[in-house]
Amino acid sequence: MSDKIWLSSPHMGGNELRYIHEAFENNWVAPLGPNVNGFETDLENFLDSDVKVAALSAGTAALHLALIECGVTYGDEVICQSMTFSASANPIAYQGAIPVFVDSEKETWNMCPIALKEALIDRLRKGKKPKAIIVVHLYGMPAKMDQILAVADEFDIPLIEDAAEALGSSYKGKHCGTFGRFGVLSFNGNKIITTSGGGALVCHTEEDKEKIVFLSTQARDNAPHYQHSHIGFNYRMSNICAGIGRGQMEVLDTRIEARRAMKRFYMELFSGISGVNVLTEPNQDFYSNHWLTAITIDSAKANVSREDLRLALLEDNIESRPLWKPMHLQPVFANTPYYGENIAEELFNDGLCLPSGSNLIDTDKYRIRNKIENVFAK
Ligand SMILES: *Cc1c(COP(=O)(O)O)cnc(C)c1O
């Protein structure tokens, strides 16, 4: 069997171990230290819009703290994009709050601003104003931020951006993760850069960042003994993981370029195949890091279904993955409110994510190309 080609696997730059060695030499083996501060500064410089970044143990933790800071508590409602990974929605449940799921639009596959507005009008009519809106930049594609922000502003509800998949993506020249009240980043093993596991919350004031760091380090009051006036969390990033992050930040630009090149590779490959649509920026306002290249297949036109292609690739030890199953269709979220026209459901039925790692080499691409051309030639 040939070597496995992964959807997206870690890709070290080279200097990660140097930062880790430094941490060992100085005995900074803790969830604080120079790598944590350095990684935060690197991210702030990269995002270049006056933001303050708090490095945390996971993107999921970042989202949880963002909800807490937006005042979300038991029984509240939170609007969330339905088409996403479960980690976007789970922290709503951690707070004992109720998710209200909103459909996607066809161009970016992200939250539909029209469905969002319908949802808000109906929730208000039913007597409850949602406490926050979670919008996701899926597979690196920026959501339609002007329209989404306009609705959030009109209803005066804070926006949380789940930019876990979109570090390096931008909308009208502004980085994803810097538009909302808070922005969530993830450095899990399969993301565009990794700290093995980790995340960050993008804040807009030093005050917000300090509060997030306080909550993520067990919420200790300023006293010599251990005194607590808030419920705290153990959510801070380790100085070892942050060392990996510092090494990864040195190569982030080349990682983005490599992922975008993978997307161009697939565009070219599918240009001669009818019935296949590659997720692409709708216009110049959108700049995607193309974390994963994703396609939809019109099986009537292509004579090949999503499952045909997925299983054929698997035969050759090539990993691919259906698009995220919408949250309103998940057993765990059965009976939660949903607004939309089942666009997310259609995308889920026809969509597939293809190997997109920045570390794929020419022989990998050759195998992928051969297999795909073969499947569609039948
Ligand atoms: C990866 C991911 C998360 C969670 O981040 P972790 O660091 O794995 O906790 C949240 N939302 C989306 C859309 C993701 O892809």
Side-chain angles (χ1 to χ4, degrees), residues 81 105 108 110-113 116 133-138 141-153 159-163 169-183 282 285-286:
Q81 181 168 321
E105 38 80 13
T108 72
N110 292 309
M111 187 181 276
C112 171
L116 170 64
I133 298 166
I134 301 171
V135 66
V136 188
H137 306 294
L138 224 49
M141 182 63 69
K144 294 190 170 174
M145 290 312 290
D146 276 353
Q147 291 93 318
I148 298 283
L149 276 166
V151 178
D153 286 348
L159 189 72
I160 300 170
E161 281 176 272
D162 182 344
S169 299
S170 56
Y171 175 77
K172 293 190 172 173
K174 194 171 142 95
H175 279 279
C176 289
T178 67
F179 287 87
R181 166 95 156 80
F182 292 107
D285 291 343
F286 297 79

mmCIF file of all heavy atoms in Angstrom, residues 81 105 108 110-113 116 133-138 141-153 159-163 169-183 282 285-286:
data_model
loop_
_atom_site.group_PDB
_atom_site.id
_atom_site.type_symbol
_atom_site.label_atom_id
_atom_site.label_comp_id
_atom_site.label_asym_id
_atom_site.label_seq_id
_atom_site.Cartn_x
_atom_site.Cartn_y
_atom_site.Cartn_z
ATOM 1 N N GLN A 81 -23.761 29.625 13.205
ATOM 2 C CA GLN A 81 -23.780 29.056 11.853
ATOM 3 C C GLN A 81 -23.966 27.545 11.967
ATOM 4 O O GLN A 81 -23.259 26.889 12.728
ATOM 5 C CB GLN A 81 -22.438 29.405 11.196
ATOM 6 C CG GLN A 81 -22.267 28.930 9.776
ATOM 7 C CD GLN A 81 -21.032 29.588 9.147
ATOM 8 O OE1 GLN A 81 -20.755 30.765 9.372
ATOM 9 N NE2 GLN A 81 -20.287 28.831 8.376
ATOM 10 N N GLU A 105 -25.118 30.587 2.930
ATOM 11 C CA GLU A 105 -25.436 31.006 1.557
ATOM 12 C C GLU A 105 -24.477 30.280 0.619
ATOM 13 O O GLU A 105 -23.468 29.732 1.046
ATOM 14 C CB GLU A 105 -25.413 32.530 1.388
ATOM 15 C CG GLU A 105 -24.336 33.305 2.141
ATOM 16 C CD GLU A 105 -22.991 33.282 1.474
ATOM 17 O OE1 GLU A 105 -22.909 32.871 0.307
ATOM 18 O OE2 GLU A 105 -21.995 33.637 2.154
ATOM 19 N N THR A 108 -20.136 31.620 -0.216
ATOM 20 C CA THR A 108 -18.995 31.367 0.685
ATOM 21 C C THR A 108 -19.218 30.133 1.555
ATOM 22 O O THR A 108 -18.308 29.711 2.265
ATOM 23 C CB THR A 108 -18.759 32.568 1.632
ATOM 24 O OG1 THR A 108 -19.808 32.611 2.599
ATOM 25 C CG2 THR A 108 -18.692 33.883 0.873
ATOM 26 N N ASN A 110 -20.813 30.151 4.135
ATOM 27 C CA ASN A 110 -20.910 30.634 5.509
ATOM 28 C C ASN A 110 -22.279 31.247 5.779
ATOM 29 O O ASN A 110 -23.135 31.276 4.899
ATOM 30 C CB ASN A 110 -19.784 31.632 5.789
ATOM 31 C CG ASN A 110 -18.441 30.938 5.791
ATOM 32 O OD1 ASN A 110 -18.269 29.925 6.471
ATOM 33 N ND2 ASN A 110 -17.493 31.445 5.020
ATOM 34 N N MET A 111 -22.463 31.766 7.002
ATOM 35 C CA MET A 111 -23.762 32.230 7.454
ATOM 36 C C MET A 111 -24.436 33.166 6.451
ATOM 37 O O MET A 111 -23.829 34.121 5.972
ATOM 38 C CB MET A 111 -23.638 32.932 8.811
ATOM 39 C CG MET A 111 -24.968 33.299 9.432
ATOM 40 S SD MET A 111 -24.755 34.158 11.004
ATOM 41 C CE MET A 111 -24.564 32.770 12.109
ATOM 42 N N CYS A 112 -25.700 32.873 6.164
ATOM 43 C CA CYS A 112 -26.475 33.685 5.233
ATOM 44 C C CYS A 112 -27.021 34.893 5.996
ATOM 45 O O CYS A 112 -27.775 34.729 6.961
ATOM 46 C CB CYS A 112 -27.612 32.858 4.651
ATOM 47 S SG CYS A 112 -28.766 33.851 3.699
ATOM 48 N N PRO A 113 -26.680 36.121 5.575
ATOM 49 C CA PRO A 113 -27.144 37.304 6.303
ATOM 50 C C PRO A 113 -28.669 37.441 6.301
ATOM 51 O O PRO A 113 -29.243 37.961 7.267
ATOM 52 C CB PRO A 113 -26.509 38.477 5.540
ATOM 53 C CG PRO A 113 -25.535 37.895 4.577
ATOM 54 C CD PRO A 113 -25.819 36.444 4.438
ATOM 55 N N LEU A 116 -29.989 35.033 8.803
ATOM 56 C CA LEU A 116 -29.640 35.562 10.129
ATOM 57 C C LEU A 116 -30.675 36.581 10.582
ATOM 58 O O LEU A 116 -31.162 36.552 11.714
ATOM 59 C CB LEU A 116 -28.237 36.202 10.087
ATOM 60 C CG LEU A 116 -27.832 37.005 11.322
ATOM 61 C CD1 LEU A 116 -27.751 36.112 12.563
ATOM 62 C CD2 LEU A 116 -26.487 37.712 11.106
ATOM 63 N N ILE A 133 -23.744 36.224 18.413
ATOM 64 C CA ILE A 133 -23.816 35.575 17.099
ATOM 65 C C ILE A 133 -22.441 34.983 16.808
ATOM 66 O O ILE A 133 -21.434 35.691 16.896
ATOM 67 C CB ILE A 133 -24.175 36.596 15.998
ATOM 68 C CG1 ILE A 133 -25.553 37.213 16.255
ATOM 69 C CG2 ILE A 133 -24.101 35.953 14.609
ATOM 70 C CD1 ILE A 133 -25.831 38.460 15.423
ATOM 71 N N ILE A 134 -22.403 33.678 16.482
ATOM 72 C CA ILE A 134 -21.133 33.038 16.114
ATOM 73 C C ILE A 134 -21.133 32.789 14.609
ATOM 74 O O ILE A 134 -21.917 31.988 14.092
ATOM 75 C CB ILE A 134 -20.927 31.706 16.863
ATOM 76 C CG1 ILE A 134 -20.930 31.935 18.384
ATOM 77 C CG2 ILE A 134 -19.621 31.039 16.416
ATOM 78 C CD1 ILE A 134 -20.938 30.651 19.200
ATOM 79 N N VAL A 135 -20.244 33.503 13.910
ATOM 80 C CA VAL A 135 -20.097 33.311 12.468
ATOM 81 C C VAL A 135 -18.775 32.584 12.243
ATOM 82 O O VAL A 135 -17.806 32.778 12.980
ATOM 83 C CB VAL A 135 -20.143 34.670 11.716
ATOM 84 C CG1 VAL A 135 -18.960 35.552 12.057
ATOM 85 C CG2 VAL A 135 -20.217 34.463 10.206
ATOM 86 N N VAL A 136 -18.725 31.709 11.238
ATOM 87 C CA VAL A 136 -17.543 30.878 10.992
ATOM 88 C C VAL A 136 -16.991 31.197 9.605
ATOM 89 O O VAL A 136 -17.759 31.431 8.670
ATOM 90 C CB VAL A 136 -17.906 29.378 11.081
ATOM 91 C CG1 VAL A 136 -16.647 28.507 11.034
ATOM 92 C CG2 VAL A 136 -18.704 29.083 12.347
ATOM 93 N N HIS A 137 -15.651 31.207 9.483
ATOM 94 C CA HIS A 137 -15.013 31.346 8.162
ATOM 95 C C HIS A 137 -14.543 29.951 7.755
ATOM 96 O O HIS A 137 -13.400 29.562 7.982
ATOM 97 C CB HIS A 137 -13.837 32.311 8.228
ATOM 98 C CG HIS A 137 -14.177 33.654 8.809
ATOM 99 N ND1 HIS A 137 -15.027 34.539 8.189
ATOM 100 C CD2 HIS A 137 -13.791 34.261 9.963
ATOM 101 C CE1 HIS A 137 -15.128 35.641 8.923
ATOM 102 N NE2 HIS A 137 -14.404 35.494 10.002
ATOM 103 N N LEU A 138 -15.468 29.220 7.141
ATOM 104 C CA LEU A 138 -15.269 27.796 6.885
ATOM 105 C C LEU A 138 -14.180 27.517 5.855
ATOM 106 O O LEU A 138 -14.158 28.148 4.797
ATOM 107 C CB LEU A 138 -16.594 27.255 6.338
ATOM 108 C CG LEU A 138 -17.098 25.929 6.870
ATOM 109 C CD1 LEU A 138 -17.064 25.867 8.373
ATOM 110 C CD2 LEU A 138 -18.488 25.685 6.357
ATOM 111 N N MET A 141 -12.535 30.348 4.057
ATOM 112 C CA MET A 141 -13.273 31.337 3.247
ATOM 113 C C MET A 141 -13.945 32.370 4.147
ATOM 114 O O MET A 141 -14.760 32.008 4.999
ATOM 115 C CB MET A 141 -14.325 30.603 2.406
ATOM 116 C CG MET A 141 -15.111 31.519 1.489
ATOM 117 S SD MET A 141 -14.072 32.333 0.256
ATOM 118 C CE MET A 141 -13.614 30.938 -0.766
ATOM 119 N N PRO A 142 -13.621 33.654 3.953
ATOM 120 C CA PRO A 142 -14.273 34.671 4.784
ATOM 121 C C PRO A 142 -15.786 34.696 4.550
ATOM 122 O O PRO A 142 -16.253 34.544 3.424
ATOM 123 C CB PRO A 142 -13.650 35.991 4.307
ATOM 124 C CG PRO A 142 -12.393 35.596 3.609
ATOM 125 C CD PRO A 142 -12.643 34.238 3.029
ATOM 126 N N ALA A 143 -16.533 34.874 5.629
ATOM 127 C CA ALA A 143 -17.977 35.071 5.510
ATOM 128 C C ALA A 143 -18.237 36.458 4.931
ATOM 129 O O ALA A 143 -17.329 37.286 4.850
ATOM 130 C CB ALA A 143 -18.625 34.926 6.888
ATOM 131 N N LYS A 144 -19.491 36.731 4.545
ATOM 132 C CA LYS A 144 -19.844 38.049 3.986
ATOM 133 C C LYS A 144 -19.941 39.056 5.129
ATOM 134 O O LYS A 144 -21.026 39.370 5.632
ATOM 135 C CB LYS A 144 -21.158 37.946 3.223
ATOM 136 C CG LYS A 144 -21.042 37.072 1.990
ATOM 137 C CD LYS A 144 -22.259 37.156 1.104
ATOM 138 C CE LYS A 144 -21.967 36.450 -0.218
ATOM 139 N NZ LYS A 144 -23.168 36.365 -1.087
ATOM 140 N N MET A 145 -18.773 39.564 5.540
ATOM 141 C CA MET A 145 -18.698 40.298 6.800
ATOM 142 C C MET A 145 -19.469 41.608 6.801
ATOM 143 O O MET A 145 -20.048 41.973 7.826
ATOM 144 C CB MET A 145 -17.239 40.525 7.192
ATOM 145 C CG MET A 145 -16.525 39.247 7.614
ATOM 146 S SD MET A 145 -17.477 38.253 8.798
ATOM 147 C CE MET A 145 -17.383 39.274 10.249
ATOM 148 N N ASP A 146 -19.485 42.360 5.696
ATOM 149 C CA ASP A 146 -20.229 43.629 5.688
ATOM 150 C C ASP A 146 -21.698 43.390 6.035
ATOM 151 O O ASP A 146 -22.264 44.072 6.894
ATOM 152 C CB ASP A 146 -20.138 44.310 4.309
ATOM 153 C CG ASP A 146 -18.855 45.130 4.170
ATOM 154 O OD1 ASP A 146 -18.129 45.268 5.184
ATOM 155 O OD2 ASP A 146 -18.583 45.607 3.057
ATOM 156 N N GLN A 147 -22.275 42.402 5.359
ATOM 157 C CA GLN A 147 -23.704 42.134 5.564
ATOM 158 C C GLN A 147 -23.982 41.562 6.957
ATOM 159 O O GLN A 147 -24.953 41.929 7.612
ATOM 160 C CB GLN A 147 -24.238 41.165 4.493
ATOM 161 C CG GLN A 147 -24.291 41.756 3.087
ATOM 162 C CD GLN A 147 -23.030 41.470 2.273
ATOM 163 O OE1 GLN A 147 -21.910 41.553 2.782
ATOM 164 N NE2 GLN A 147 -23.206 41.143 1.003
ATOM 165 N N ILE A 148 -23.113 40.641 7.400
ATOM 166 C CA ILE A 148 -23.306 40.022 8.722
ATOM 167 C C ILE A 148 -23.168 41.087 9.825
ATOM 168 O O ILE A 148 -23.980 41.155 10.756
ATOM 169 C CB ILE A 148 -22.265 38.889 8.948
ATOM 170 C CG1 ILE A 148 -22.420 37.773 7.910
ATOM 171 C CG2 ILE A 148 -22.327 38.349 10.380
ATOM 172 C CD1 ILE A 148 -23.547 36.827 8.136
ATOM 173 N N LEU A 149 -22.143 41.919 9.695
ATOM 174 C CA LEU A 149 -21.921 42.968 10.706
ATOM 175 C C LEU A 149 -23.077 43.966 10.721
ATOM 176 O O LEU A 149 -23.473 44.450 11.789
ATOM 177 C CB LEU A 149 -20.607 43.694 10.445
ATOM 178 C CG LEU A 149 -19.351 43.009 11.007
ATOM 179 C CD1 LEU A 149 -18.095 43.623 10.409
ATOM 180 C CD2 LEU A 149 -19.308 43.076 12.537
ATOM 181 N N ALA A 150 -23.608 44.265 9.533
ATOM 182 C CA ALA A 150 -24.728 45.218 9.466
ATOM 183 C C ALA A 150 -25.920 44.677 10.248
ATOM 184 O O ALA A 150 -26.575 45.423 10.993
ATOM 185 C CB ALA A 150 -25.114 45.484 8.007
ATOM 186 N N VAL A 151 -26.202 43.385 10.112
ATOM 187 C CA VAL A 151 -27.332 42.799 10.843
ATOM 188 C C VAL A 151 -27.026 42.785 12.352
ATOM 189 O O VAL A 151 -27.874 43.153 13.165
ATOM 190 C CB VAL A 151 -27.645 41.366 10.339
ATOM 191 C CG1 VAL A 151 -28.786 40.757 11.140
ATOM 192 C CG2 VAL A 151 -27.984 41.369 8.854
ATOM 193 N N ALA A 152 -25.811 42.373 12.709
ATOM 194 C CA ALA A 152 -25.431 42.332 14.134
ATOM 195 C C ALA A 152 -25.563 43.724 14.755
ATOM 196 O O ALA A 152 -26.081 43.876 15.869
ATOM 197 C CB ALA A 152 -24.016 41.798 14.293
ATOM 198 N N ASP A 153 -25.125 44.748 14.021
ATOM 199 C CA ASP A 153 -25.211 46.126 14.522
ATOM 200 C C ASP A 153 -26.657 46.584 14.642
ATOM 201 O O ASP A 153 -27.037 47.216 15.626
ATOM 202 C CB ASP A 153 -24.448 47.085 13.594
ATOM 203 C CG ASP A 153 -22.937 46.947 13.760
ATOM 204 O OD1 ASP A 153 -22.516 46.289 14.745
ATOM 205 O OD2 ASP A 153 -22.190 47.460 12.910
ATOM 206 N N LEU A 159 -20.788 40.079 17.962
ATOM 207 C CA LEU A 159 -20.416 39.056 16.993
ATOM 208 C C LEU A 159 -19.123 38.385 17.446
ATOM 209 O O LEU A 159 -18.145 39.054 17.779
ATOM 210 C CB LEU A 159 -20.207 39.715 15.625
ATOM 211 C CG LEU A 159 -20.009 38.770 14.448
ATOM 212 C CD1 LEU A 159 -21.318 38.071 14.093
ATOM 213 C CD2 LEU A 159 -19.489 39.520 13.233
ATOM 214 N N ILE A 160 -19.135 37.046 17.457
ATOM 215 C CA ILE A 160 -17.921 36.276 17.713
ATOM 216 C C ILE A 160 -17.554 35.586 16.400
ATOM 217 O O ILE A 160 -18.380 34.897 15.809
ATOM 218 C CB ILE A 160 -18.155 35.218 18.824
ATOM 219 C CG1 ILE A 160 -18.563 35.900 20.137
ATOM 220 C CG2 ILE A 160 -16.911 34.359 19.009
ATOM 221 C CD1 ILE A 160 -19.038 34.928 21.217
ATOM 222 N N GLU A 161 -16.315 35.808 15.960
ATOM 223 C CA GLU A 161 -15.872 35.157 14.717
ATOM 224 C C GLU A 161 -15.113 33.893 15.053
ATOM 225 O O GLU A 161 -14.087 33.948 15.731
ATOM 226 C CB GLU A 161 -14.875 36.054 13.994
ATOM 227 C CG GLU A 161 -15.424 37.184 13.211
ATOM 228 C CD GLU A 161 -14.231 37.974 12.673
ATOM 229 O OE1 GLU A 161 -13.753 38.875 13.399
ATOM 230 O OE2 GLU A 161 -13.770 37.678 11.564
ATOM 231 N N ASP A 162 -15.576 32.773 14.556
ATOM 232 C CA ASP A 162 -14.816 31.537 14.664
ATOM 233 C C ASP A 162 -13.889 31.482 13.450
ATOM 234 O O ASP A 162 -14.277 31.053 12.361
ATOM 235 C CB ASP A 162 -15.757 30.332 14.716
ATOM 236 C CG ASP A 162 -15.005 29.022 14.870
ATOM 237 O OD1 ASP A 162 -13.781 29.009 14.635
ATOM 238 O OD2 ASP A 162 -15.646 28.007 15.201
ATOM 239 N N ALA A 163 -12.652 31.963 13.665
ATOM 240 C CA ALA A 163 -11.652 32.001 12.589
ATOM 241 C C ALA A 163 -10.634 30.871 12.766
ATOM 242 O O ALA A 163 -9.491 30.975 12.333
ATOM 243 C CB ALA A 163 -10.962 33.362 12.563
ATOM 244 N N SER A 169 -6.594 34.537 6.346
ATOM 245 C CA SER A 169 -7.642 34.949 5.404
ATOM 246 C C SER A 169 -8.035 36.381 5.719
ATOM 247 O O SER A 169 -7.905 36.831 6.860
ATOM 248 C CB SER A 169 -8.877 34.066 5.556
ATOM 249 O OG SER A 169 -8.563 32.721 5.286
ATOM 250 N N SER A 170 -8.550 37.081 4.701
ATOM 251 C CA SER A 170 -8.991 38.441 4.966
ATOM 252 C C SER A 170 -10.184 38.817 4.100
ATOM 253 O O SER A 170 -10.464 38.174 3.087
ATOM 254 C CB SER A 170 -7.849 39.435 4.763
ATOM 255 O OG SER A 170 -7.333 39.307 3.457
ATOM 256 N N TYR A 171 -10.891 39.841 4.571
ATOM 257 C CA TYR A 171 -12.053 40.368 3.848
ATOM 258 C C TYR A 171 -11.833 41.869 3.686
ATOM 259 O O TYR A 171 -11.593 42.576 4.672
ATOM 260 C CB TYR A 171 -13.322 40.078 4.651
ATOM 261 C CG TYR A 171 -14.580 40.672 4.067
ATOM 262 C CD1 TYR A 171 -15.206 40.091 2.958
ATOM 263 C CD2 TYR A 171 -15.147 41.817 4.616
ATOM 264 C CE1 TYR A 171 -16.362 40.634 2.426
ATOM 265 C CE2 TYR A 171 -16.304 42.364 4.085
ATOM 266 C CZ TYR A 171 -16.909 41.771 2.994
ATOM 267 O OH TYR A 171 -18.055 42.318 2.463
ATOM 268 N N LYS A 172 -11.854 42.355 2.453
ATOM 269 C CA LYS A 172 -11.556 43.756 2.151
ATOM 270 C C LYS A 172 -10.257 44.194 2.839
ATOM 271 O O LYS A 172 -10.180 45.274 3.446
ATOM 272 C CB LYS A 172 -12.721 44.665 2.551
ATOM 273 C CG LYS A 172 -13.967 44.422 1.705
ATOM 274 C CD LYS A 172 -15.024 45.484 1.928
ATOM 275 C CE LYS A 172 -16.164 45.331 0.923
ATOM 276 N NZ LYS A 172 -17.284 46.228 1.190
ATOM 277 N N GLY A 173 -9.266 43.311 2.805
ATOM 278 C CA GLY A 173 -7.938 43.644 3.316
ATOM 279 C C GLY A 173 -7.782 43.571 4.825
ATOM 280 O O GLY A 173 -6.695 43.841 5.342
ATOM 281 N N LYS A 174 -8.848 43.196 5.541
ATOM 282 C CA LYS A 174 -8.784 43.117 7.011
ATOM 283 C C LYS A 174 -8.842 41.645 7.419
ATOM 284 O O LYS A 174 -9.663 40.878 6.903
ATOM 285 C CB LYS A 174 -9.980 43.895 7.577
ATOM 286 C CG LYS A 174 -9.913 44.216 9.056
ATOM 287 C CD LYS A 174 -11.073 45.187 9.379
ATOM 288 C CE LYS A 174 -11.690 44.892 10.723
ATOM 289 N NZ LYS A 174 -11.180 45.679 11.810
ATOM 290 N N HIS A 175 -7.969 41.274 8.354
ATOM 291 C CA HIS A 175 -7.847 39.866 8.733
ATOM 292 C C HIS A 175 -9.114 39.296 9.354
ATOM 293 O O HIS A 175 -9.737 39.940 10.215
ATOM 294 C CB HIS A 175 -6.700 39.680 9.726
ATOM 295 C CG HIS A 175 -5.360 39.610 9.064
ATOM 296 N ND1 HIS A 175 -4.883 38.455 8.493
ATOM 297 C CD2 HIS A 175 -4.405 40.540 8.857
ATOM 298 C CE1 HIS A 175 -3.688 38.679 7.980
ATOM 299 N NE2 HIS A 175 -3.369 39.952 8.176
ATOM 300 N N CYS A 176 -9.457 38.074 8.964
ATOM 301 C CA CYS A 176 -10.522 37.336 9.636
ATOM 302 C C CYS A 176 -10.125 37.155 11.099
ATOM 303 O O CYS A 176 -8.964 36.883 11.404
ATOM 304 C CB CYS A 176 -10.727 35.969 8.989
ATOM 305 S SG CYS A 176 -11.487 36.074 7.367
ATOM 306 N N GLY A 177 -11.069 37.318 11.986
ATOM 307 C CA GLY A 177 -10.800 37.217 13.425
ATOM 308 C C GLY A 177 -10.675 38.577 14.075
ATOM 309 O O GLY A 177 -10.657 38.666 15.301
ATOM 310 N N THR A 178 -10.603 39.647 13.251
ATOM 311 C CA THR A 178 -10.433 40.990 13.831
ATOM 312 C C THR A 178 -11.679 41.866 13.661
ATOM 313 O O THR A 178 -11.660 43.043 13.994
ATOM 314 C CB THR A 178 -9.219 41.734 13.227
ATOM 315 O OG1 THR A 178 -9.488 42.027 11.848
ATOM 316 C CG2 THR A 178 -7.956 40.892 13.314
ATOM 317 N N PHE A 179 -12.774 41.301 13.118
ATOM 318 C CA PHE A 179 -13.973 42.107 12.864
ATOM 319 C C PHE A 179 -14.909 42.155 14.068
ATOM 320 O O PHE A 179 -15.527 43.174 14.333
ATOM 321 C CB PHE A 179 -14.771 41.520 11.686
ATOM 322 C CG PHE A 179 -14.131 41.739 10.343
ATOM 323 C CD1 PHE A 179 -13.190 40.841 9.857
ATOM 324 C CD2 PHE A 179 -14.482 42.823 9.560
ATOM 325 C CE1 PHE A 179 -12.615 41.030 8.615
ATOM 326 C CE2 PHE A 179 -13.908 43.019 8.312
ATOM 327 C CZ PHE A 179 -12.964 42.117 7.841
ATOM 328 N N GLY A 180 -15.045 41.025 14.751
ATOM 329 C CA GLY A 180 -16.082 40.893 15.776
ATOM 330 C C GLY A 180 -15.637 41.433 17.121
ATOM 331 O O GLY A 180 -14.528 41.945 17.279
ATOM 332 N N ARG A 181 -16.527 41.302 18.099
ATOM 333 C CA ARG A 181 -16.178 41.647 19.487
ATOM 334 C C ARG A 181 -15.006 40.771 19.920
ATOM 335 O O ARG A 181 -14.104 41.209 20.608
ATOM 336 C CB ARG A 181 -17.405 41.412 20.366
ATOM 337 C CG ARG A 181 -17.165 41.400 21.853
ATOM 338 C CD ARG A 181 -17.422 42.770 22.471
ATOM 339 N NE ARG A 181 -17.742 42.666 23.889
ATOM 340 C CZ ARG A 181 -16.827 42.506 24.854
ATOM 341 N NH1 ARG A 181 -15.566 42.417 24.556
ATOM 342 N NH2 ARG A 181 -17.212 42.428 26.110
ATOM 343 N N PHE A 182 -15.033 39.481 19.499
ATOM 344 C CA PHE A 182 -13.933 38.563 19.734
ATOM 345 C C PHE A 182 -13.689 37.719 18.475
ATOM 346 O O PHE A 182 -14.621 37.480 17.702
ATOM 347 C CB PHE A 182 -14.248 37.598 20.889
ATOM 348 C CG PHE A 182 -14.324 38.258 22.234
ATOM 349 C CD1 PHE A 182 -15.551 38.439 22.866
ATOM 350 C CD2 PHE A 182 -13.172 38.695 22.881
ATOM 351 C CE1 PHE A 182 -15.621 39.053 24.110
ATOM 352 C CE2 PHE A 182 -13.236 39.310 24.121
ATOM 353 C CZ PHE A 182 -14.470 39.491 24.743
ATOM 354 N N GLY A 183 -12.451 37.251 18.322
ATOM 355 C CA GLY A 183 -12.124 36.330 17.236
ATOM 356 C C GLY A 183 -11.422 35.101 17.805
ATOM 357 O O GLY A 183 -10.583 35.219 18.693
ATOM 358 N N PRO A 282 -15.708 34.662 -4.043
ATOM 359 C CA PRO A 282 -16.707 35.252 -4.951
ATOM 360 C C PRO A 282 -16.166 36.461 -5.715
ATOM 361 O O PRO A 282 -16.538 36.680 -6.857
ATOM 362 C CB PRO A 282 -17.831 35.692 -4.016
ATOM 363 C CG PRO A 282 -17.593 35.031 -2.714
ATOM 364 C CD PRO A 282 -16.155 34.655 -2.641
ATOM 365 N N ASP A 285 -12.908 41.067 -2.878
ATOM 366 C CA ASP A 285 -13.023 41.426 -1.462
ATOM 367 C C ASP A 285 -12.606 40.267 -0.548
ATOM 368 O O ASP A 285 -12.281 40.473 0.616
ATOM 369 C CB ASP A 285 -14.476 41.795 -1.116
ATOM 370 C CG ASP A 285 -14.904 43.101 -1.753
ATOM 371 O OD1 ASP A 285 -14.012 43.870 -2.180
ATOM 372 O OD2 ASP A 285 -16.117 43.342 -1.851
ATOM 373 N N PHE A 286 -12.677 39.066 -1.086
ATOM 374 C CA PHE A 286 -12.428 37.866 -0.279
ATOM 375 C C PHE A 286 -11.042 37.311 -0.576
ATOM 376 O O PHE A 286 -10.655 37.190 -1.734
ATOM 377 C CB PHE A 286 -13.469 36.784 -0.607
ATOM 378 C CG PHE A 286 -14.882 37.175 -0.280
ATOM 379 C CD1 PHE A 286 -15.596 38.019 -1.137
ATOM 380 C CD2 PHE A 286 -15.508 36.717 0.861
ATOM 381 C CE1 PHE A 286 -16.899 38.390 -0.854
ATOM 382 C CE2 PHE A 286 -16.818 37.079 1.152
ATOM 383 C CZ PHE A 286 -17.505 37.915 0.298
#
